[in-house]
Amino acid sequence: MARLKTRVTSFDVAKLAGVSQPAVSRAFTPGASITKEKRDRILAAAKELNYVPNVFASNLSSNRSNMVAVISGNLNNPFYSETLQVFVESIQRTNRQVLAFSVQDGRDSDDVMMQAMRYPIDGLVVTSAQMSSELVKLSEGLGIPVVMFNRRVEGSELSGVQCDNFEGSAILGRLMNAAGARRILIVRGDPQGSTSIDRVQGFRSAFDGIAGIEIEEVDGESSYSGARNAMIRRFGGPGPRFPDAIFAVNDIMAIGCADALNENFGLKIPDDIMLAGFDGIREGQRAPYSLTTVRQPVERMVSETLELLQAAPENLKGAEAQKRVIPGDLIPGHTIPGMGRWAR
Amino acid sequence: MARLKTRVTSFDVAKLAGVSQPAVSRAFTPGASITKEKRDRILAAAKELNYVPNVFASNLSSNRSNMVAVISGNLNNPFYSETLQVFVESIQRTNRQVLAFSVQDGRDSDDVMMQAMRYPIDGLVVTSAQMSSELVKLSEGLGIPVVMFNRRVEGSELSGVQCDNFEGSAILGRLMNAAGARRILIVRGDPQGSTSIDRVQGFRSAFDGIAGIEIEEVDGESSYSGARNAMIRRFGGPGPRFPDAIFAVNDIMAIGCADALNENFGLKIPDDIMLAGFDGIREGQRAPYSLTTVRQPVERMVSETLELLQAAPENLKGAEAQKRVIPGDLIPGHTIPGMGRWAR
DNA sequence: GAAAGATGTGAATGCGTATTCAAGCCAACG
DNA sequence: CGTTGGCTTGAATACGCATTCACATCTTTC
């Protein structure tokens, strides 16, 4: 609650430069009608006084804002921290600012979003969190465009951008099937999260109608350690029967599985057991893993999200809600055998 | 430049609730003097109208702000993305907001900081970027407290929090020396960056006055791929002579080295070559690496940074500048042999 | 029961800027 | 030379809320 020092105002600069206050405002507004000579004089005076326009006052007066709020969840997942990074860079590139919020998994994101909406923001991006219908109503009332990132939205009243989780996972499923997977373990993420649900369903769809398939599911808690512990718990007992294949609904869990299988059970991937993830995070691509996965095209997803934010709020909700589903890119990797033909 | 919809104001709520505008303000101010009954009536009216106080107007009027700007560089390094995450969570916990900026390595951070200072922010945290003396002057003029994170500051006119890079690296050097390292390769980061410089010097200090030591340095560009490529470039020729030990000044580069040595040259760590990094990022601790490193205590560094931000700006500069140097924690790992006695 | 205090309230004002508007200026034009 | 039109300019005002201050209401005290 720091009390701000009395700032140098545009009046002070105006006085020093011998002009009026609006002139100062114009000097700082690109394209405003003002003589170059006068502008230079004003800018010199401003520099001398260490003056910079107060954004709050400016926003209040002009009734516009250049801030986009980004609410991220689960920043422990490198995919989301990469996403945040791309958002920051993209938004900054368009001369806007990022108001960053973080929501602990499953915590009251409503509070955080409420905080965000007290700012006259240009838009709100929500990654991996739910939004109560009450908040949707509020955002409507405030005229704030909202776009859900990588979240299928219940009731479909909100706009969103997401990767084609179903089809991407289906592709992985088909590859595993072709590679001979029969006994399969799926490592789920958040059981409520649409991402995990869609990926599980997509993956399972690849095995529909195929005889002799056993599919089991365990909870990996969307995290490295969650998945790792799930492996240890599941296979730690006496004489475990290992599956042929493991599909983790995200890469960070796949990596957790790989480490546990290697270190705790001495299994080789893909010789003893095949593995796939989803997301395409950097660490999964590195030599020790070379994970077979589907990459979410983050750059494109982010740019489409920002594009949607330009739309009027009323065009982002209800019947007008825009759903953009972007196909993922298969990364062959080396954790499913027989993928030589995919290599470039 | 979205024009904001005309918002519901406190006057609207006041009218609906049959009270005055100040009453509405008080209803939203914790601890303000107002009857519970009246507050409830006002809150009900606010909810009905979808009213939330406009933070900009509120800040402008009360002359205080609850935003802290965080300028991050090099978010590709997991250490910095973890740091950003900790900042966001810590700041949010104290009911303040984070204005996030990103600076590409070596790019004009001045522009970005100037942007940040147009907000009446409570404080500015700068990670891995320089600050021109002009900007320092500006921040002084604006009365904005500035704290450098993990950056030794030239001329020492600014406050900062950093890990004890010199001593931490010296410890690693001594361990390698004890383990028999004689021919050593140091993988540098940004040659201008204080972090890299201090770590190199600290590490070298462990070998002062010891005969028969050869130390070579290569540039790893502070990144995974930079370090990896440096390895390939350095050892890719015919009949390379490998060193006994490699010290990468950060973990992400150490991981890059490990992958290259393993995959491209078939070397085993630590049997063929020992390795150490710095930072203590999560991925370095995982099974395939078990990197010996020094962990920067991020939580503590962040909390001390935020503590410093509370101080009056004039107490953070010049002679009053506060330097907090926090010791790192050795993580034994398995990439230097003979560290059994360190294991708990 | 009156005086002193504690508390709740609204009218008015200030925060620092952008915007409107009418007036001023100059050049080019007929 | 008078006029039209474009470009600059400053006075006044709006933006939405917090705060101050004086007043009204209620409670406590002897």
Side-chain angles (χ1 to χ4, degrees):
Chain A
M1 283 300 195
R3 179 152 230 106
L4 270 50
K5 196 168 153 183
T6 308
R7 292 171 75 110
V8 179
T9 75
S10 53
F11 282 96
D12 301 323
V13 176
K15 192 188 298 175
L16 178 60
V19 296
S20 70
Q21 177 270 325
V24 178
S25 170
R26 283 189 267 260
F28 280 91
T29 306
S33 128
I34 187 173
T35 326
K36 179 177 183 328
E37 176 192 70
K38 180 168 289 195
R39 157 173 278 145
D40 289 346
R41 189 150 41 99
I42 293 174
L43 291 183
K47 174 158 282 184
E48 187 176 336
L49 294 178
N50 282 327
Y51 168 82
V52 285
N54 181 331
V55 182
F56 281 3
S58 157
N59 286 346
L60 179 61
S61 170
S62 66
N63 201 27
R64 76 175 89 243
S65 140
N66 290 309
M67 303 197 322
V68 176
V70 177
I71 300 185
S72 324
N74 202 8
L75 282 175
N76 283 317
N77 182 340
F79 173 73
Y80 285 109
S81 70
E82 180 187 345
T83 297
L84 175 57
Q85 171 186 354
V86 175
F87 268 114
V88 171
E89 285 166 0
S90 304
I91 290 173
Q92 199 169 294
R93 210 174 299 133
T94 59
N95 287 316
R96 291 178 296 181
Q97 263 62 245
V98 175
L99 205 56
F101 296 86
S102 145
V103 173
Q104 306 284 11
D105 264 346
R107 297 286 284 270
D108 41 20
S109 48
D110 277 27
D111 263 16
V112 173
M113 294 195 214
M114 191 79 93
Q115 283 295 322
M117 296 210 218
R118 297 183 50 163
Y119 290 77
I121 48 181
D122 278 5
L124 176 61
V125 176
V126 180
T127 80
S128 69
Q130 297 286 356
M131 205 169 169
S132 69
S133 58
E134 199 160 321
L135 271 175
V136 173
K137 181 166 156 262
L138 180 58
S139 73
E140 242 160 31
L142 294 174
I144 296 178
V146 175
V147 176
M148 309 297 283
F149 183 89
N150 207 27
R151 264 273 176 228
R152 182 161 45 74
V153 191
E154 316 301 326
S156 82
E157 71 266 9
L158 280 178
S159 289
V161 172
Q162 59 177 326
C163 185
D164 191 340
N165 291 310
F166 187 97
E167 180 55 22
S169 305
I171 290 175
L172 293 171
R174 289 196 285 271
L175 287 170
M176 283 187 158
N177 182 32
R182 289 300 170 263
R183 298 194 61 237
I184 296 162
L185 180 65
I186 295 178
V187 183
R188 283 193 246 99
D190 174 11
Q192 316 296 332
S194 69
T195 315
S196 176
I197 294 173
D198 292 351
R199 291 177 188 175
V200 168
Q201 289 188 351
F203 183 82
R204 277 179 176 274
S205 76
F207 296 89
D208 277 355
I210 299 182
I213 301 290
E214 285 177 52
I215 300 185
E216 180 186 347
E217 288 187 22
V218 296
D219 187 352
E221 298 164 28
S222 293
S223 68
Y224 173 86
S225 57
R228 189 187 168 102
N229 292 337
M231 291 300 101
I232 294 172
R233 217 179 307 119
R234 174 67 184 74
F235 301 124
R241 257 186 88 207
F242 289 101
D244 315 315
I246 295 182
F247 171 56
V249 301
N250 69 33
D251 282 357
I252 193 69
M253 290 198 294
I255 290 176
C257 293
D259 282 355
L261 295 174
N262 256 305
E263 200 192 14
N264 298 66
F265 305 104
L267 298 180
K268 296 291 169 226
I269 296 172
D271 304 333
D272 299 323
I273 195 166
M274 62 183 100
L275 176 67
F278 204 111
D279 279 350
I281 63 176
R282 282 186 289 261
E283 28 189 316
Q285 297 316 302
R286 294 182 188 148
Y289 303 107
S290 282
L291 190 60
T292 298
T293 189
V294 168
R295 166 146 188 91
Q296 300 203 58
V298 183
E299 307 274 351
R300 184 170 161 209
M301 289 166 69
V302 167
S303 77
E304 300 228 359
T305 301
L306 296 180
E307 208 173 280
L308 281 186
L309 279 185
Q310 309 283 14
E314 51 272 26
N315 296 334
L316 291 175
K317 288 175 183 137
E320 308 289 338
Q322 307 244 357
K323 310 284 179 187
R324 301 213 181 166
V325 178
I326 298 170
D329 303 318
L330 177 66
I331 301 183
H334 297 120
T335 59
I336 296 184
M339 303 249 326
R341 68 196 171 96
W342 292 97
R344 326 173 219 179
Chain B
M1 285 298 194
R3 179 154 227 105
L4 269 49
K5 198 167 152 183
T6 307
R7 292 172 74 109
V8 179
T9 76
S10 54
F11 282 95
D12 301 323
V13 177
K15 192 188 298 175
L16 179 60
V19 297
S20 70
Q21 176 271 325
V24 178
S25 170
R26 283 190 268 261
F28 279 92
T29 306
S33 113
I34 187 173
T35 324
K36 179 176 184 326
E37 174 192 73
K38 180 168 288 195
R39 157 172 279 147
D40 289 345
R41 189 150 42 99
I42 293 174
L43 292 183
K47 176 158 282 186
E48 187 177 334
L49 295 177
N50 282 326
Y51 168 83
V52 286
N54 180 332
V55 182
F56 282 3
S58 153
N59 286 344
L60 182 59
S61 167
S62 65
N63 201 28
R64 71 176 89 241
S65 142
N66 289 310
M67 304 198 322
V68 175
V70 178
I71 300 185
S72 322
N74 204 10
L75 282 175
N76 282 316
N77 182 341
F79 173 73
Y80 285 110
S81 70
E82 180 187 346
T83 297
L84 174 58
Q85 172 187 353
V86 175
F87 268 115
V88 170
E89 285 167 358
S90 305
I91 290 172
Q92 199 169 293
R93 210 174 298 133
T94 58
N95 288 316
R96 291 179 296 179
Q97 262 60 246
V98 176
L99 205 56
F101 296 86
S102 144
V103 173
Q104 305 285 11
D105 264 347
R107 297 286 284 269
D108 41 19
S109 48
D110 277 27
D111 262 16
V112 173
M113 294 195 212
M114 190 78 94
Q115 284 295 320
M117 296 208 221
R118 295 185 49 165
Y119 289 77
I121 47 181
D122 278 5
L124 176 61
V125 176
V126 180
T127 81
S128 69
Q130 297 286 355
M131 205 170 167
S132 70
S133 57
E134 198 159 324
L135 271 175
V136 174
K137 180 165 157 261
L138 180 58
S139 73
E140 243 160 33
L142 295 175
I144 296 179
V146 175
V147 176
M148 309 297 284
F149 184 89
N150 205 27
R151 264 273 177 231
R152 180 161 48 73
V153 191
E154 315 301 326
S156 82
E157 71 267 7
L158 278 179
S159 289
V161 172
Q162 58 177 325
C163 185
D164 192 342
N165 291 310
F166 187 97
E167 181 55 22
S169 305
I171 291 175
L172 293 171
R174 290 195 285 272
L175 287 172
M176 282 187 159
N177 182 32
R182 290 299 170 263
R183 297 194 61 236
I184 295 161
L185 180 65
I186 296 178
V187 182
R188 282 193 248 101
D190 174 10
Q192 317 294 331
S194 71
T195 314
S196 175
I197 293 174
D198 292 351
R199 291 178 187 175
V200 168
Q201 289 187 353
F203 183 83
R204 278 177 176 274
S205 76
F207 295 90
D208 277 354
I210 299 182
I213 300 290
E214 284 177 53
I215 300 185
E216 180 186 347
E217 288 186 23
V218 296
D219 187 352
E221 299 165 26
S222 292
S223 69
Y224 174 86
S225 57
R228 190 187 168 101
N229 291 337
M231 290 299 101
I232 294 172
R233 217 179 306 119
R234 174 67 183 74
F235 301 124
R241 258 185 88 206
F242 289 101
D244 315 316
I246 295 182
F247 171 57
V249 300
N250 68 33
D251 282 357
I252 191 68
M253 289 198 295
I255 290 176
C257 293
D259 282 354
L261 295 174
N262 255 307
E263 201 192 15
N264 298 66
F265 305 105
L267 298 179
K268 296 290 169 224
I269 296 171
D271 305 332
D272 298 324
I273 196 166
M274 62 184 99
L275 176 67
F278 203 110
D279 281 348
I281 62 178
R282 284 187 288 260
E283 28 190 315
Q285 297 315 303
R286 295 184 186 147
Y289 303 108
S290 283
L291 191 60
T292 298
T293 189
V294 169
R295 166 147 187 90
Q296 301 202 60
V298 183
E299 307 274 350
R300 182 167 163 212
M301 289 166 68
V302 167
S303 77
E304 300 229 0
T305 301
L306 296 180
E307 207 172 281
L308 281 186
L309 280 186
Q310 309 283 16
E314 51 273 27
N315 295 335
L316 290 176
K317 288 172 184 141
E320 307 289 338
Q322 306 243 358
K323 309 286 179 187
R324 302 214 180 164
V325 178
I326 297 170
D329 303 318
L330 177 65
I331 301 184
H334 297 121
T335 59
I336 297 183
M339 302 247 326
R341 66 193 172 97
W342 292 97
R344 326 172 222 183

